[in-house]
Amino acid sequence: MEKKTKIHAEDGKQDLVITREFELPLEYLFKAYEDPEIVAQWMGTNVLKLESKNHGSWHFETTDPKGNKHGFHGVIHEFVPNQKIIRTFQMANTPFPPQLEFLEFETLSESRSKLTMQIVYRSAADRNQMLQLPFAQGINMAHNRLEEVVKSLI
Amino acid sequence: MEKKTKIHAEDGKQDLVITREFELPLEYLFKAYEDPEIVAQWMGTNVLKLESKNHGSWHFETTDPKGNKHGFHGVIHEFVPNQKIIRTFQMANTPFPPQLEFLEFETLSESRSKLTMQIVYRSAADRNQMLQLPFAQGINMAHNRLEEVVKSLI
């Protein structure tokens, strides 16, 4: 079955663009990125910090089935409610350097909205290594869960 | 005369690397990026905020000869004293999106040190537009001033 979340990664470039249309009004889609409790639910993560503001920062932690903790964190360069978030993202304890992420949120209709997320990597090699992980499937599943969790709140 | 600050920008890429060797011990070079008063001196800027720490942020402002103020700001993803700073950088009121900067500091000898600064842009076009500004000359002059200002403190 075709994935609803699309990843566009041009050869030789050090960025990629992820798009997803959600069956959710814009404000609800945005809450999934702004509200710590909703983030925790759809990402299945412990939200240790989420300062949703300009010059804020964030820190999440997941626990795998073996009980190992995996942290990821970053800073929030710009935060414009219902419009955009520009932030850094890094997985702790991995060789991957931080990446810069531009998230843009758009209304499609009263009940539908779209996320466009550009990720800029430190190098093309870093990007390509990330694409070798089960990245596309993981993000598509996470977005499916997002839609399900947020729909239950409407 | 050859510039001491070198800029390496490969065709078609969306990043560039700036290198400079300073006639300064590492700790003094690093102070020029950490200490608000020294930053203000060599950059000729008003330091409104400089939180030199992981998940910190910064905000500088210059005043041009006509009295117009120009702000620039960002967040600090990672801060490791005398080793590295990873931060975002954006000029306010310009069409340029934020960029991600990786600054690395190295000792060359007791009295000399090196800065390597990789800047990753949102696109190759953004990078190339930046290179059309008097960028190379500006950063070389700024680094000359840095060396002069910091030498006077030793």
Side-chain angles (χ1 to χ4, degrees):
Chain A
M1 210 177 78
E2 206 189 354
K3 293 183 187 69
K4 290 184 181 171
T5 299
K6 316 283 184 197
I7 300 181
H8 314 260
E10 276 181 50
D11 273 355
K13 295 190 72 176
Q14 69 200 69
D15 69 332
L16 54 80
V17 177
I18 296 164
T19 56
R20 167 85 181 216
E21 298 184 8
F22 290 90
E23 304 294 329
L24 296 171
L26 175 68
E27 292 72 15
Y28 282 88
L29 171 59
F30 196 79
K31 274 187 212 292
Y33 286 85
E34 180 185 33
D35 182 304
E37 284 185 30
I38 303 177
V39 169
Q41 281 185 59
W42 75 265
M43 295 194 73
T45 190
N46 190 5
V47 176
L48 303 177
K49 175 168 71 165
L50 179 54
E51 300 168 344
S52 292
K53 60 177 187 182
N54 290 334
H55 291 193
S57 59
W58 62 276
H59 186 192
F60 304 163
E61 192 178 65
T62 55
T63 305
D64 70 20
K66 291 182 183 164
N68 300 312
K69 293 185 185 300
H70 303 278
F72 40 119
H73 74 99
V75 271
I76 298 171
H77 178 89
E78 188 175 2
F79 185 89
V80 184
N82 299 320
Q83 285 183 43
K84 68 174 163 179
I85 301 170
I86 303 175
R87 68 185 183 195
T88 62
F89 174 103
Q90 186 172 28
M91 287 185 283
N93 307 316
T94 71
F96 291 111
Q99 58 206 41
L100 184 58
E101 301 185 338
F102 298 82
L103 287 77
E104 288 169 3
F105 300 83
E106 283 172 80
T107 292
L108 296 177
S109 72
E110 274 192 17
S111 62
R112 300 182 68 243
S113 56
K114 184 178 174 183
L115 168 67
T116 303
M117 185 170 171
Q118 184 194 4
I119 306 181
V120 181
Y121 295 86
R122 187 167 189 181
S123 71
D126 287 326
R127 187 201 69 165
N128 294 342
Q129 211 180 338
M130 189 65 74
L131 284 170
Q132 284 170 0
L133 304 177
F135 179 70
Q137 198 180 338
I139 199 161
N140 186 63
M141 278 175 59
H143 283 165
N144 291 348
R145 208 156 50 227
L146 184 165
E147 196 168 74
E148 202 182 316
V149 164
V150 178
K151 266 189 180 165
S152 72
L153 303 172
I154 297 182
Chain B
M1 209 177 79
E2 205 190 353
K3 293 182 186 71
K4 290 184 182 171
T5 299
K6 316 285 185 197
I7 299 181
H8 314 260
E10 277 181 50
D11 273 357
K13 294 189 73 176
Q14 67 200 69
D15 69 331
L16 54 79
V17 178
I18 296 164
T19 54
R20 167 86 180 215
E21 297 185 9
F22 290 90
E23 303 295 330
L24 297 171
L26 175 69
E27 293 71 16
Y28 282 88
L29 171 59
F30 196 80
K31 275 187 212 294
Y33 287 85
E34 180 184 33
D35 182 303
E37 285 184 29
I38 303 176
V39 169
Q41 280 184 60
W42 75 266
M43 295 194 72
T45 192
N46 190 6
V47 176
L48 305 177
K49 175 169 70 167
L50 179 54
E51 299 167 343
S52 291
K53 60 177 187 181
N54 290 335
H55 290 192
S57 60
W58 61 277
H59 186 191
F60 303 163
E61 193 179 64
T62 55
T63 305
D64 70 20
K66 292 181 180 164
N68 300 313
K69 292 185 185 300
H70 303 279
F72 40 119
H73 74 97
V75 270
I76 298 171
H77 178 89
E78 188 174 2
F79 185 89
V80 184
N82 299 320
Q83 286 184 41
K84 67 174 164 180
I85 300 169
I86 303 175
R87 67 185 183 193
T88 63
F89 174 103
Q90 186 172 29
M91 287 186 283
N93 307 314
T94 71
F96 291 111
Q99 60 207 39
L100 185 58
E101 300 184 341
F102 298 83
L103 288 78
E104 289 170 1
F105 301 83
E106 283 172 81
T107 294
L108 296 176
S109 72
E110 273 190 20
S111 62
R112 299 182 69 242
S113 55
K114 183 177 175 184
L115 168 67
T116 302
M117 185 171 169
Q118 183 194 5
I119 306 182
V120 181
Y121 295 87
R122 187 167 189 182
S123 69
D126 287 326
R127 186 202 71 165
N128 294 341
Q129 212 180 337
M130 189 66 75
L131 285 170
Q132 283 170 0
L133 304 176
F135 179 71
Q137 198 179 339
I139 198 160
N140 186 64
M141 280 175 59
H143 283 164
N144 291 347
R145 211 156 50 229
L146 183 165
E147 195 167 76
E148 204 181 313
V149 163
V150 177
K151 266 188 181 166
S152 73
L153 303 172
I154 298 182

